Amino acid sequence: MINIILITFYLELIKIIYLQKNNLMKKTIAVSLVVLGAVFANAQQKKDTVKREVKIDEVELFGEKNKQPEGLEVITRLPLKPRDQIQSISTISYKVIEGLGGLTVTDVAKNIPGVTQFGSYGGTRESMSIRGYRGVPVLKNGVMMDSDFRTAAMLTDMQGVESIQVIKGSAAVTQGIGDGLGSAGGVINVVTKVPKFINQTNVGFRYGSWDFYRPTVDFQRVLDSNGKVAVRFNAAYQDNNSFRKYVKTDRIYVNPSVAFRPDDKTEIVVEMDYMHNDTTPDRGTVNLSTGDVNALYEMPKGKFLGFSSDNAETETFNFSTTATRKLTDKLKLRAAYMNSSYDFTNVGASLGAGNAATNYAVRARSLAKSAREDKNQVLQLDLIGAEVNTGFLKHTFQVGFDWKQTDVTTTSYQSKSVDQINVLQDISNALPTSIDGGNFSLAASNPIVNTLSSTVGLMAQDVITVNKYVKAHLGVRYSKLNGVSKDLAHDAWNPSLGLLISPLENINVFGSYTTTTGLRSANNPLDGGGTVGPSKTTQWEAGIKSDWLGERLRFNVTVFDIKTDNLSYSVLNTAGNATGYYGLAGDLSRKGVEVELIGRILPNLQVMTGWAYVDAQYQDSPAFVNGSAPINTPKNTANGWLNYKFNQGFLNGLDVGAGIYYVGTRPVDDYKQTYTNATGGHVNGTQPGEKPFLMPDYTTVDAQVGYQFKKGLGLRVFFNNIFDEVGYSSYFRGGYIDQIQPRNFAVQVNYKF
């Protein structure tokens, strides 16, 4: 009976949360959710007549040893460990997320070499960069959360995250055409938590700087005596202010899931997650000069350039069903359906560019509104074989089909001029009573735009084991982008070829060739007539993947050479607005190296360290200066983190950790040539002929101290940016120069039972 009550309660609670818009009600529900979740879970534990002792394999920083990380098959489509995959793959497990106290994708992904944050868009989004490609696709359980080609809208809560997985470089065989700017750079997959068929509850509370409050709950239960049905429920509520005056966040997050194992050959997992996030967008500071001179205004921490009423509302709802059926010991069928919906509304201040007459301190301030509704669906069908023999050859293969659909509606509104401010003086953050911040007129031109597109793909992969020393990887994919008419439909073939040589059992030396075809801009009209056509990325990659110390420690080195041709850009008028026409931008070359060490170098000593170097240059471009680097591309990034756990004497239960993170200098904008069809460029960016200045590099140092008491009680303290380093995450031409979090602390209490 308690199980029925529990399930019914949470289903109804989710329904209420999803439909409810009132902030007070959301807060009430959030607090009740955490408290009642713990009560129900505890009641279930006490009354449970099923006593199950489940041994869980030790989880390393990258996941369970000797196993493929959970959820990785959604993006690789092959049942292989990362060491045996032809792609460069990194995984960060929930163990790291908990130990670091990570609250965002950026907090976690910065521990992967070559992964940086492109921009936060005022703290409302997370746009990530890999190998110098901005806006790489960020997926949740294999489905893109946001079909914006910049992937600028990704926002998630770490409470429901099992791991963060990164495929660096082309993943076209499994992910399809490169619809976005960063598709050829890689893909980030956020894997959510699902039942592990154990009885366990974890209740937590976090308090930190600037009135940060965050209660959480994670419980899972086996519902029947035969161990065939299990549930899991994660939830979090977050309420916090900021080092900026008037900047605050209010969030509620829920993540329920159910797993069925009707027999030993079948498993079905159904899950969803929902998040409602209200935050104040913060454009940060300004540059008190033109874009070719570094004159960044180091604004006082409490100062805010917007209005106190500014608000960005994000609502996401994700649902997935995955079914796996073993046909034989070596063959299985996998089917997955994933659905996401994303609604974003932003009402906030916008600043003008400034001019030399006022030393760029005086800025026109206006109030702007934008809205976006984004719906995405993915269907995957796979036949998977593991170690199937054909004579002296052994095959691990996948043959599959997928269908993807995006339905996007954007709404543009006319902005409202408000006032002028001097950023160096005191600023009023109150919106004048003469300005109605609740009502906006639609934009004069194309205010509402709806785009519906779908792609289908057929793919096959085969990892052929010749002997214990040699493996060959062969893959091919056919993709078709369905347009609104036959004339707008495009298709593409993308191969993947690779060779793995294993001189030792734990070492793989690999080389690969892959391609990615970009069709998003293929139908865009050129300013001089005709259309842009597809762009194509070719990638050569080689390196070493290795496991050491009983697969507790991984060391990887990768070198790459990537070239993207037939780039294009949107032609702007002198006001910085799009004309609807495009120009060719030539080619972009990227060469680099990545080094990664992750795992345990001693039984009690964990390490995550890495370094990435990328040399990105425009080539043969009529739009950009040849040899210049694209916007926000640092040549060097590095990370290092150590954690030591004491297990003897009076220090037993104590662990201490420290991390250091470096982001190198990077151009604040593209270095544009003087071209006649877009003389104005972006209003907030550099003008043609101006060499963009380099955003300063920065290094941050974090530390953590934890103590695990007996009977499941744990305490952890986080110290972030200990030396109060000033660094910036900038989308300069978008008007965002966001300061990283200054020195702050947090304390987390957890009770596991």
Side-chain angles (χ1 to χ4, degrees):
M1 179 61 71
I2 189 77
N3 293 328
I4 297 175
I5 296 173
L6 186 65
I7 295 172
T8 303
F9 166 75
Y10 279 113
L11 288 177
E12 289 300 314
L13 188 59
I14 293 165
K15 181 180 178 182
I16 293 171
I17 293 171
Y18 186 66
L19 297 175
Q20 185 57 245
K21 303 294 185 181
N22 183 268
N23 284 331
L24 178 61
M25 179 63 74
K26 286 190 297 182
K27 290 184 178 182
T28 303
I29 292 172
V31 176
S32 301
L33 176 140
V34 176
V35 175
L36 292 177
V39 171
F40 272 111
N42 191 42
Q44 168 68 10
Q45 184 185 54
K46 291 181 177 180
K47 296 180 179 292
D48 198 350
T49 58
V50 181
K51 304 298 182 181
R52 298 179 56 85
E53 295 287 337
V54 181
K55 183 178 180 180
I56 305 287
D57 292 338
E58 186 174 15
V59 177
E60 304 291 349
L61 300 179
F62 46 76
E64 295 183 48
K65 294 187 299 181
N66 305 309
K67 290 185 178 181
Q68 182 189 51
E70 291 186 26
L72 186 62
E73 204 166 295
V74 173
I75 52 176
T76 65
R77 314 284 281 273
L78 281 171
L80 295 173
K81 294 182 289 186
R83 188 186 73 195
D84 298 318
Q85 303 272 4
I86 200 63
Q87 299 107 328
S88 179
I89 299 174
S90 297
T91 298
I92 300 293
S93 74
Y94 71 89
K95 193 172 188 177
V96 175
I97 298 173
E98 293 177 353
L100 297 177
L103 297 174
T104 67
V105 173
T106 305
D107 290 340
V108 181
K110 68 182 181 181
N111 293 281
I112 298 175
V115 182
T116 59
Q117 184 177 38
F118 175 84
S120 69
Y121 296 81
T124 64
R125 312 172 187 177
E126 288 190 274
S127 182
M128 307 302 295
S129 176
I130 300 177
R131 295 180 173 177
Y133 285 92
R134 59 172 289 199
V136 297
V138 181
L139 316 178
K140 181 169 283 188
N141 297 321
V143 62
M144 189 177 293
M145 294 284 296
D146 170 28
S147 60
D148 184 350
F149 69 95
R150 296 160 296 191
T151 316
M154 179 63 186
L155 194 66
T156 192
D157 194 287
M158 288 295 108
Q159 175 60 22
V161 176
E162 179 74 22
S163 65
I164 300 292
Q165 303 165 349
V166 177
I167 295 180
K168 287 177 265 188
S170 173
V173 170
T174 59
Q175 298 303 308
I177 58 175
D179 290 334
L181 287 177
S183 298
V187 62
I188 299 174
N189 188 38
V190 178
V191 180
T192 55
K193 296 175 179 177
V194 296
K196 296 183 180 294
F197 285 82
I198 62 173
N199 293 331
Q200 188 180 84
T201 302
N202 191 343
V203 180
F205 182 81
R206 178 167 174 160
Y207 173 79
S209 300
W210 312 302
D211 297 322
F212 184 102
Y213 300 92
R214 181 178 166 90
T216 60
V217 62
D218 174 8
F219 77 84
Q220 45 187 324
R221 291 290 178 267
V222 180
L223 299 185
D224 66 317
S225 59
N226 296 319
K228 294 185 176 183
V229 184
V231 297
R232 189 170 188 175
F233 189 88
N234 274 274
Y237 174 71
Q238 182 174 316
D239 187 13
N240 63 274
N241 296 319
S242 168
F243 66 97
R244 295 274 188 227
K245 193 176 182 181
Y246 301 113
V247 175
K248 57 184 179 181
T249 296
D250 183 270
R251 173 187 295 180
I252 184 171
Y253 172 81
V254 292
N255 168 221
S257 56
V258 182
F260 306 91
R261 294 176 179 175
D263 54 53
D264 58 358
K265 295 182 179 181
T266 308
E267 182 174 61
I268 302 171
V269 178
V270 180
E271 59 177 314
M272 61 82 75
D273 74 345
Y274 169 83
M275 183 185 71
H276 188 108
N277 187 85
D278 282 304
T279 193
T280 308
D282 177 18
R283 289 186 172 270
T285 187
V286 297
N287 190 57
L288 297 173
S289 183
T290 55
D292 57 346
V293 177
N294 181 351
L296 293 168
Y297 172 39
E298 192 170 328
M299 204 163 61
K301 293 178 181 178
K303 199 168 191 176
F304 178 55
L305 302 182
F307 303 109
S308 59
S309 57
D310 291 353
N311 180 255
E313 181 181 11
T314 303
E315 190 169 62
T316 63
F317 184 87
N318 306 282
F319 174 84
S320 71
T321 301
T322 303
T324 305
R325 173 70 178 181
K326 292 182 180 179
L327 303 178
T328 68
D329 292 339
K330 297 184 177 182
L331 296 175
K332 68 177 181 181
L333 288 172
R334 176 183 170 275
Y337 172 75
M338 292 150 281
N339 177 292
S340 75
S341 78
Y342 157 78
D343 287 285
F344 178 74
T345 303
N346 185 14
V347 180
S350 180
L351 300 179
N355 56 68
T358 59
N359 294 320
Y360 296 91
V362 176
R363 305 292 177 109
R365 191 165 58 165
S366 59
L367 189 67
K369 180 179 180 179
S370 62
R372 181 183 182 91
E373 182 181 21
D374 204 326
K375 300 178 181 178
N376 296 272
Q377 299 179 76
V378 174
L379 174 66
Q380 295 179 344
L381 300 173
D382 294 310
L383 172 64
I384 300 170
E387 298 186 343
V388 178
N389 293 312
T390 59
F392 67 93
L393 300 178
K394 186 180 294 182
H395 305 263
T396 295
F397 66 88
Q398 173 260 343
V399 179
F401 163 86
D402 58 39
W403 168 81
K404 303 179 182 181
Q405 179 178 276
T406 64
D407 185 359
V408 182
T409 301
T410 58
T411 305
S412 302
Y413 299 87
Q414 296 181 15
S415 62
K416 300 181 179 183
S417 297
V418 179
D419 56 13
Q420 281 192 332
I421 59 172
N422 188 322
V423 299
L424 302 178
Q425 299 176 359
D426 292 336
I427 298 170
S428 172
N429 300 114
L431 187 67
T433 56
S434 59
I435 304 296
D436 186 356
N439 294 300
F440 287 80
S441 300
L442 293 174
S445 178
N446 298 320
I448 301 176
V449 178
N450 178 259
T451 304
L452 179 66
S453 64
S454 64
T455 61
V456 294
L458 297 170
M459 77 236 45
Q461 302 178 86
D462 191 6
V463 178
I464 305 170
T465 302
V466 180
N467 51 47
K468 67 178 183 178
Y469 301 109
V470 179
K471 294 180 181 177
H473 180 106
L474 305 174
V476 65
R477 178 187 179 97
Y478 171 78
S479 301
K480 184 177 182 181
L481 171 64
N482 297 315
V484 295
S485 67
K486 292 183 179 180
D487 295 336
L488 298 180
H490 292 272
D491 59 4
W493 289 90
N494 292 112
S496 175
L497 308 171
L499 188 67
L500 295 95
I501 299 175
S502 305
L504 299 172
E505 184 178 356
N506 64 316
I507 297 177
N508 281 340
V509 180
F510 74 97
S512 67
Y513 169 81
T514 54
T515 69
T516 299
T517 302
L519 300 178
R520 182 188 62 83
S521 301
N523 294 316
N524 290 341
L526 288 171
D527 189 49
T531 58
V532 172
S535 68
K536 187 175 182 179
T537 299
T538 58
Q539 172 184 285
W540 295 92
E541 190 174 64
I544 299 173
K545 300 182 180 184
S546 62
D547 294 322
W548 303 91
L549 305 178
E551 299 197 16
R552 298 197 311 266
L553 184 69
R554 291 180 178 175
F555 177 70
N556 303 320
V557 179
T558 306
V559 295
F560 58 87
D561 188 339
I562 309 173
K563 185 175 182 180
T564 303
D565 61 16
N566 202 43
L567 296 170
S568 63
Y569 63 91
S570 176
V571 174
L572 309 178
N573 59 25
T574 56
N577 300 316
T579 63
Y581 292 96
Y582 294 78
L584 296 179
D587 306 330
L588 187 54
S589 170
R590 293 172 170 89
K591 300 179 181 179
V593 59
E594 297 157 349
V595 182
E596 179 181 42
L597 179 68
I598 180 172
R600 285 186 290 156
I601 57 179
L602 295 172
N604 292 0
L605 181 62
Q606 297 173 320
V607 60
M608 287 188 301
T609 186
W611 167 70
Y613 171 83
V614 58
D615 182 16
Q617 298 183 12
Y618 285 108
Q619 297 178 341
D620 302 321
S621 176
F624 305 107
V625 174
N626 290 328
S628 65
I631 180 175
N632 273 357
T633 302
K635 283 186 178 294
N636 291 278
T637 56
N639 64 279
W641 180 80
L642 291 172
N643 181 271
Y644 187 84
K645 185 175 183 179
F646 298 86
N647 59 1
Q648 295 181 353
F650 71 96
L651 294 178
N652 185 24
L654 176 70
D655 72 272
V656 294
I660 184 168
Y661 305 94
Y662 173 78
V663 178
T665 59
R666 56 231 179 263
V668 299
D669 203 348
D670 292 313
Y671 191 0
K672 299 179 283 289
Q673 297 189 44
T674 300
Y675 43 87
T676 59
N677 53 2
T679 56
H682 290 79
V683 171
N684 292 298
T686 58
Q687 302 303 301
E690 292 181 347
K691 184 178 181 180
F693 73 85
L694 296 179
M695 187 66 71
D697 61 347
Y698 64 90
T699 302
T700 57
V701 178
D702 304 336
Q704 309 87 33
V705 179
Y707 191 86
Q708 189 64 44
F709 298 90
K710 296 181 179 180
K711 298 183 179 181
L713 181 64
L715 177 68
R716 184 166 292 274
V717 182
F718 308 98
F719 305 94
N720 302 315
N721 197 1
I722 294 174
F723 299 105
D724 206 22
E725 180 85 346
V726 176
Y728 298 98
S729 167
S730 167
Y731 181 41
F732 187 75
R733 67 189 186 202
Y736 296 97
I737 307 178
D738 301 314
Q739 184 179 337
I740 64 173
Q741 294 281 312
R743 180 169 47 235
N744 63 92
F745 88 98
V747 58
Q748 174 93 25
V749 179
N750 283 88
Y751 180 49
K752 185 181 293 184
F753 54 95

